[in-house]
Amino acid sequence: MKIAVLSESFLMGGLETRLKGIFKRVQGHEVCLVVKNYDKSNTGLFDDIRISAMDKQSIKRALQSVCPDIVDVHPFNSLIEGAAACMELGLPYVATIHGPYINSQYIKALEGAKCVFAVSEEVESQVRLLAKNANVIVLRNGIDLERFKPVYAGPGGKTAVIARLGDDKYPGVKKCLDAFPMADVIGTGTMLNNLQKEYSSARFLGYKDIAEHFGEYGADYSLIAGMGRVALEGIAMGYPVLLVGYDGIKGFITPESFERLSYRNFSGRGEPNTDIDELFPPNKKLRDMLRKNHDEKKIASQYFDIIEKLFK
């Protein structure tokens, strides 16, 4: 089976990490990327790459040159235009919604898909509410538990604040650095310079491969602060994890809060901001909970099982 992945960008972020986690485990299928912008160092798992604008006619030409059996379509405009191109070409497609950003423009694309993968129950409920005839399946983001091994060595170490330093996450990162002004900040983005000026005691490390960085320096840290995939990676490595939302600190992830926070993909949406009075000790039960629904191997296996059943 030949799968064409259609995305506006393939650079460095959650979408790319999710797709790499799935397609590095591909067996017996050929995978091609159709993309507008991409990072050459980040695309080694694809058998072929086609550069295309993201209007319908350009996408049609790219897909005709690839001749896929299935198209895996991702937002934003690439989903709307890509779905229209697939419909006109008679190509079956699946779609993935990575966050709660959909609106009425997506309805036709979502309802025309063989299935819509939602990364959380929050996203699933929004898709069902908007596109009532869509076939929605929750397929969470996964973590490679073989790369992200427990490295936590105990209290007394540094705090790592890990985030994309863009406008949307800036308020939450600021609140976190107010609480931990000497933290190591891992990540980059448009607000990096502002944060460097405001928090001169913090150490800004830029982008890091998290598994590699903590594999080497893990014993130096006692706390990881972040959201989404960062939270999952911190749990996998055995650390206490402080959930940092878009607008502030939401508190430590505990076995009691794990499922509730997973519902919104550990974004912190809907959670009140809180003050940090004491450090929550790590709990091994959290890694077992992570393994149940966020093991990358299981996510990839579920993805290919669903694709193969849909297109038999």
Side-chain angles (χ1 to χ4, degrees), residues 25-167:
R25 293 181 169 84
V26 66
Q27 293 183 344
H29 304 305
E30 184 180 349
V31 184
C32 172
L33 175 66
V34 178
V35 67
K36 182 179 179 181
N37 303 302
Y38 77 103
D39 181 345
K40 291 181 181 179
S41 66
N42 203 23
T43 53
L45 74 164
F46 297 107
D47 297 293
D48 191 12
I49 297 174
R50 301 296 171 93
I51 307 301
S52 174
M54 287 295 120
D55 61 276
K56 182 178 68 175
Q57 293 304 321
S58 297
I59 293 170
K60 281 177 66 175
R61 287 192 292 271
L63 292 177
Q64 286 171 322
S65 70
V66 172
C67 297
D69 299 298
I70 312 160
V71 184
D72 183 352
V73 187
H74 297 263
F76 293 94
N77 197 55
S78 47
L79 194 158
I80 298 168
E81 297 293 309
C86 289
M87 290 177 191
E88 290 191 10
L89 293 172
L91 283 172
Y93 68 94
V94 298
T96 302
I97 302 298
H98 299 264
Y101 44 67
I102 57 173
N103 54 43
S104 59
Q105 296 180 77
Y106 289 90
I107 294 176
K108 186 175 180 180
L110 296 174
E111 293 189 340
K114 287 287 186 180
C115 80
V116 177
F117 294 117
V119 301
S120 67
E121 287 86 355
E122 176 192 33
V123 173
E124 176 197 25
S125 67
Q126 290 193 342
V127 173
R128 291 191 186 281
L129 187 65
L130 182 70
K132 301 188 185 305
N133 296 318
N135 174 27
V136 194
I137 299 171
V138 175
L139 192 67
R140 295 176 177 84
N141 288 324
I143 296 297
D144 187 341
L145 295 175
E146 293 177 0
R147 288 194 76 223
F148 290 92
K149 297 177 180 179
V151 294
Y152 173 73
K158 295 184 291 186
T159 295
V161 179
I162 308 174
R164 174 177 49 77
L165 306 178
D167 294 357

